[in-house]
Amino acid sequence: MPVMQGKELRIVGFLCNWCSYGGADTAGVARAEQPTDLRIIRVPCSGRVDPLFIVKALLNGADGVLVSGCHPRDCHYSAGNFYARRRLEVLKRFLPVIGIDDARFEYTWVSAAEGQRWQQVVTSFTERVHALGAAPRIEDAKPFLKVADMALKPLRTLGTGKNAPLEKLKEAIKAKLPELECVIGWQKGYDDIHTTPLFMKSAEEVDKLVWGPLNVVNTANYLSQFKGKKVGIVVKGCDSRSVVELLQENLISREAVTIFAMPCEGTLDVARVNEKLGRYTIVNAADSDGAGLLVTVDGKKHSLAMEELAQGKCRCCTHPSAVLTDVLVGDAPQAPAAAPTPPELALLDSMGLEERRGFWRGQMERCLRCYACRNACPMCVCRDHCVSDARDPHWMTQEADVVQKLFFQTIHALHLAGRCTGCGECQRACPVGIPILALRQQTARAVEELFGGYKPGFDPAAVPPLLGYEVEEQNIRETRI
Amino acid sequence: MRVIRFIQSDGFPDFLARLSRNNRVLAPVVKPAGKRSVVFEQWREGMPVILEKTTVPPKEAVLPQCETLFVCKKSKNPDNPEDVGMTLGTVPEDASTTLPTLIFACRSCDARGFAVLDRPFLKGPFADPYYKARRARLAVITLTCSTGCNTCFCHWVGGGPSSPEGSDVLMTEIEDGFVLQAMTPAGEALLESSNLADGKDIFPKAEAARKAAWASLLPAPDLKNAQQKVAAVFKNEQFWREHAAACLSCGACTYFCPACYCFNITDEGDAFEADGARRLRSWDNCMSSLFTREASGHNSRAQKAQRLRNRVSHKFSTYPENWGKFSCNGCGRCISNCPVHLDIRDVVVNALAVEDE
Ligand code: SF4
Ligand code: SF4
Ligand code: SF4
Ligand code: SF4
């Protein structure tokens, strides 16, 4: 049905069956006058409201979304609304990064007896949305393309791991190999400046192990596929956080994994290396001077300085040494304490909502839905059962428009909220260079702010914040509407 | 000798503007992003063109990522709800169907990709009408490569830096300009209708440049037995497991391949609603587990090794069995775009080395 003469806006309400739906009913029975823009969807509990319901509505033309559940401590299922509160708070802080005004979304609590309160909630939220007007659509935004400045000064001097005791590491792996199915590491790839994962099963294979700034792939990605088997894994600092997060979520068991580590001196942004080298046929020589790689391609010399070409995450890296190890080789360097805002997110921070919509529209247009981003993520453990592929529930259509594509990125970012360690593999994997890491960085920042500085992947015993709750949340100030 | 023309290095904007009058001209442009990505976009006045090989091949010109095959609408008779009427709605038009398409600065490997797609879509028992409509109005101007690159291998698989297959015009850089050589009647018409200067006299320079490009390529292994050899390792599970160990099962190899053409058909929307229901055809890829999942839940290729085997076998053994040619043109995108740097060349070369049982 067309919206009434353009006077009404489209507002979607998710109301829990036990309290708020009853509250709305009470208001209705009492003939309490209320605006009619709201379309109510009854759900069993506010805890049933997946934040993606809200994003889906907002990306597909809703002007506002309201979630209402039972008051804290009154949940029919005891704690559904406590879980909801955490997720919805994260969502509120996420919406602006994709250019959606967070004022278009609100959650609140209304009991079945509070007909009057319901009237007031609907009225004030509707007024709020009317003040904002009809929601601008992402697909109508004017493309606004800007590139993050990745040449941020590193927190510490980065290097190439030239003097790392690789032979010692190899000996340590060989010693443990008989007990293990295999050990995951890196080997030389199709040329001297690209590496590829290595699965070591024999001493000869251990000799293929390489160490240095080209070891970009996060080895933790492969761990979950070895479930039930004892495996070893060689990690950089960032990879170790993924291992810990997998442990936190019981996706692997501590006894089944042996962690080998050497302190990391940083890795190269291979995309920018490729760009710097341009089109070449062969690598004639590759060496390192400690501060970068010196490579000769097609007879021409290039210097790939870490200072210039390291990945963004390495510039902000506070944990170059593994956070959990069984075998540590080499001395752990002095780790810098606090990280600045990562460059991708800093770029988004510098934009207004309209520019952000234009940014994502312009960037997502060239997404081919190849899902390399998803499959490169060590924490995307649904693997062959991703909602984006499902026909039932039907989250996404096969249409190749920016809304579908951005919605998938939102699914990934929100499914990773409180779990993403910022390893950056999603963005690195994207063949067309869409800076999708910014979305994950924003959820990570929201989680950190809301849950006492929590960072995923440090403590194997810590419960990921969105899998828990506190009755009195320290940092959540609910808006009273 | 066919029509040959010459264009000065600064002559492209005029040339493209002229072509754009009655064509949708797709030309390579750089997208600003942390990772250099070059894509084909519809050329418009003032758009800077870059003569680089693109990150995304131009196959979208004939096989869009997603297209609406038809729209269907249903209506109920208010007096008799059992009486449901069904009509076909109109498919929204876009530039890919209303205008002829011209690809500018394609590469030989990508142009040969169109020839790979043509066989199943046009030359089998049925011609695909959607593909046919776009393909019939496609013209390709290919820029011949002056060198190979670290991931491409066109000359292993029957092509080369100036292979003409799939191209209407071959364009070769010489000093201060480019020589354009028509390869098909469509290419001739295209060059004849341009106001470019004749290039017959300087054509030898283009020939020399093409020769030099060929000479610069690294030696290629002999793939004459590849079809049999890849077929022979089909049952060698160990072989495929090892080669697929690092594979992430994403679609970066297939969706960026100019010669992959698998698709999915789905229905979206509700036929009773104002816009109707849409039947869509969208890209699909054999590296995804869903590709072979049956309605019963059974999956004939549940493991990634089986899926990698399918991709490589289709390109080097089963497609050649049907059509006599590889369905890989050696563009190297599945290598350069792979997040873990897997190399299809290794798989094929290693299959050649497996001793027959
Ligand atoms: S983020 Fe830190 S541990 Fe990870 S690759 Fe960069 S420097 Fe090494
Ligand atoms: S979402 Fe991206 S940054 Fe976060 S864990 Fe996954 S791959 Fe790493
Ligand atoms: S990797 Fe890039 S192109 Fe592929 S689905 Fe993700 S965002 Fe899209
Ligand atoms: S299989 Fe790989 S190298 Fe061959 S045409 Fe496709 S993307 Fe290019």
PDB file of all heavy atoms in Angstrom, chain A residues 23 36 53 73 77 96 176 403 421:
ATOM      1  N   GLY A  23       1.382  -3.964  25.905  1.00  0.00           N
ATOM      2  CA  GLY A  23       1.308  -2.530  26.203  1.00  0.00           C
ATOM      3  C   GLY A  23       0.608  -1.780  25.080  1.00  0.00           C
ATOM      4  O   GLY A  23      -0.242  -0.905  25.311  1.00  0.00           O
ATOM      5  N   THR A  36      -0.005   6.868  13.375  1.00  0.00           N
ATOM      6  CA  THR A  36      -0.261   5.574  12.727  1.00  0.00           C
ATOM      7  C   THR A  36       0.862   5.127  11.794  1.00  0.00           C
ATOM      8  O   THR A  36       0.688   4.232  10.995  1.00  0.00           O
ATOM      9  CB  THR A  36      -1.560   5.674  11.908  1.00  0.00           C
ATOM     10  OG1 THR A  36      -1.439   6.808  11.042  1.00  0.00           O
ATOM     11  CG2 THR A  36      -2.760   5.830  12.806  1.00  0.00           C
ATOM     12  N   PHE A  53      17.666  -7.607  11.518  1.00  0.00           N
ATOM     13  CA  PHE A  53      16.285  -7.265  11.127  1.00  0.00           C
ATOM     14  C   PHE A  53      16.209  -5.759  10.923  1.00  0.00           C
ATOM     15  O   PHE A  53      15.588  -5.254  10.003  1.00  0.00           O
ATOM     16  CB  PHE A  53      15.277  -7.610  12.225  1.00  0.00           C
ATOM     17  CG  PHE A  53      15.122  -9.070  12.553  1.00  0.00           C
ATOM     18  CD1 PHE A  53      14.382  -9.459  13.669  1.00  0.00           C
ATOM     19  CD2 PHE A  53      15.682 -10.058  11.758  1.00  0.00           C
ATOM     20  CE1 PHE A  53      14.206 -10.795  13.981  1.00  0.00           C
ATOM     21  CE2 PHE A  53      15.519 -11.406  12.080  1.00  0.00           C
ATOM     22  CZ  PHE A  53      14.777 -11.772  13.198  1.00  0.00           C
ATOM     23  N   ARG A  73      14.847  -7.267  34.083  1.00  0.00           N
ATOM     24  CA  ARG A  73      14.407  -8.157  35.168  1.00  0.00           C
ATOM     25  C   ARG A  73      12.987  -8.670  34.988  1.00  0.00           C
ATOM     26  O   ARG A  73      12.528  -9.479  35.788  1.00  0.00           O
ATOM     27  CB  ARG A  73      14.475  -7.477  36.556  1.00  0.00           C
ATOM     28  CG  ARG A  73      15.866  -7.077  37.014  1.00  0.00           C
ATOM     29  CD  ARG A  73      15.728  -6.352  38.365  1.00  0.00           C
ATOM     30  NE  ARG A  73      16.776  -5.374  38.572  1.00  0.00           N
ATOM     31  CZ  ARG A  73      17.936  -5.651  39.129  1.00  0.00           C
ATOM     32  NH1 ARG A  73      18.179  -6.869  39.543  1.00  0.00           N
ATOM     33  NH2 ARG A  73      18.838  -4.718  39.263  1.00  0.00           N
ATOM     34  N   TYR A  77      11.528 -14.632  29.536  1.00  0.00           N
ATOM     35  CA  TYR A  77      12.542 -15.702  29.471  1.00  0.00           C
ATOM     36  C   TYR A  77      13.760 -15.328  30.317  1.00  0.00           C
ATOM     37  O   TYR A  77      14.880 -15.710  30.002  1.00  0.00           O
ATOM     38  CB  TYR A  77      12.951 -15.934  28.022  1.00  0.00           C
ATOM     39  CG  TYR A  77      11.791 -16.176  27.104  1.00  0.00           C
ATOM     40  CD1 TYR A  77      11.265 -15.154  26.328  1.00  0.00           C
ATOM     41  CD2 TYR A  77      11.198 -17.441  27.037  1.00  0.00           C
ATOM     42  CE1 TYR A  77      10.187 -15.379  25.495  1.00  0.00           C
ATOM     43  CE2 TYR A  77      10.113 -17.660  26.207  1.00  0.00           C
ATOM     44  CZ  TYR A  77       9.607 -16.631  25.435  1.00  0.00           C
ATOM     45  OH  TYR A  77       8.544 -16.858  24.621  1.00  0.00           O
ATOM     46  N   PRO A  96      25.814   4.594  12.115  1.00  0.00           N
ATOM     47  CA  PRO A  96      26.376   5.783  11.459  1.00  0.00           C
ATOM     48  C   PRO A  96      27.535   5.481  10.512  1.00  0.00           C
ATOM     49  O   PRO A  96      27.749   6.222   9.559  1.00  0.00           O
ATOM     50  CB  PRO A  96      26.861   6.647  12.634  1.00  0.00           C
ATOM     51  CG  PRO A  96      26.067   6.177  13.803  1.00  0.00           C
ATOM     52  CD  PRO A  96      25.833   4.718  13.580  1.00  0.00           C
ATOM     53  N   LYS A 176      58.364 -31.627  17.454  1.00  0.00           N
ATOM     54  CA  LYS A 176      56.971 -31.901  17.838  1.00  0.00           C
ATOM     55  C   LYS A 176      56.185 -32.633  16.760  1.00  0.00           C
ATOM     56  O   LYS A 176      55.087 -33.152  17.021  1.00  0.00           O
ATOM     57  CB  LYS A 176      56.247 -30.563  18.130  1.00  0.00           C
ATOM     58  CG  LYS A 176      56.726 -29.862  19.384  1.00  0.00           C
ATOM     59  CD  LYS A 176      55.755 -30.126  20.525  1.00  0.00           C
ATOM     60  CE  LYS A 176      56.205 -29.337  21.745  1.00  0.00           C
ATOM     61  NZ  LYS A 176      55.567 -29.799  22.963  1.00  0.00           N
ATOM     62  N   VAL A 403      22.646  -2.357  -2.257  1.00  0.00           N
ATOM     63  CA  VAL A 403      21.990  -2.637  -0.980  1.00  0.00           C
ATOM     64  C   VAL A 403      22.290  -4.074  -0.528  1.00  0.00           C
ATOM     65  O   VAL A 403      22.658  -4.317   0.617  1.00  0.00           O
ATOM     66  CB  VAL A 403      20.470  -2.380  -1.079  1.00  0.00           C
ATOM     67  CG1 VAL A 403      19.742  -2.946   0.122  1.00  0.00           C
ATOM     68  CG2 VAL A 403      20.197  -0.888  -1.209  1.00  0.00           C
ATOM     69  N   THR A 421      39.073  -9.784  15.727  1.00  0.00           N
ATOM     70  CA  THR A 421      40.321  -9.370  16.347  1.00  0.00           C
ATOM     71  C   THR A 421      41.050  -8.332  15.495  1.00  0.00           C
ATOM     72  O   THR A 421      42.168  -7.959  15.801  1.00  0.00           O
ATOM     73  CB  THR A 421      41.245 -10.583  16.536  1.00  0.00           C
ATOM     74  OG1 THR A 421      41.484 -11.143  15.242  1.00  0.00           O
ATOM     75  CG2 THR A 421      40.625 -11.629  17.441  1.00  0.00           C
TER      76      THR A 421
END
